[in-house]
Amino acid sequence: EDEFLDRLEVSEGNGPVDALANALKKALTPSHPSLENLQLIDYKVRILDPESATQAATRVMIEFTDVTTNQKWSTVSVDRNIISASLNALVDGFEYALKEVVASCVIDFEEEFE
């Protein structure tokens, strides 16, 4: 299977953010198996300017954990659209989960050619 295929996934969850997280995980795990250990453990929303009513900026904070290492991290995103803020925070969390895997793939050319 080609690891760089475009994937279209759908998933269910306890609300739209959980469903989105599950769909992202479903789409990315074939190429990045370490994401199987990723777990969303907290989701918080805060309205930053309540006087703006439905135009208010929304801050989303998501806490993640790697169930094998017990490492925890949080990501934050702000947008006037709560789904966009949630997606951005989710993507940042998934990218952070992959940072160790990506670091092991980087070639230090200076060291390589000394």
Side-chain angles (χ1 to χ4, degrees), residues 41-84:
I41 56 175
D42 198 6
Y43 173 80
K44 295 177 183 172
V45 176
R46 181 173 180 127
I47 304 303
L48 298 180
D49 52 344
E51 63 280 351
S52 296
T54 58
Q55 294 296 312
T58 305
R59 182 180 66 200
V60 170
M61 186 183 85
I62 301 178
E63 188 175 355
F64 298 86
T65 189
D66 182 317
V67 296
T68 58
T69 65
N70 291 323
Q71 179 185 10
K72 294 180 183 178
W73 63 94
S74 297
T75 58
V76 176
S77 180
V78 176
D79 198 295
R80 296 201 182 284
N81 181 321
I82 190 170
I83 300 299
S84 294

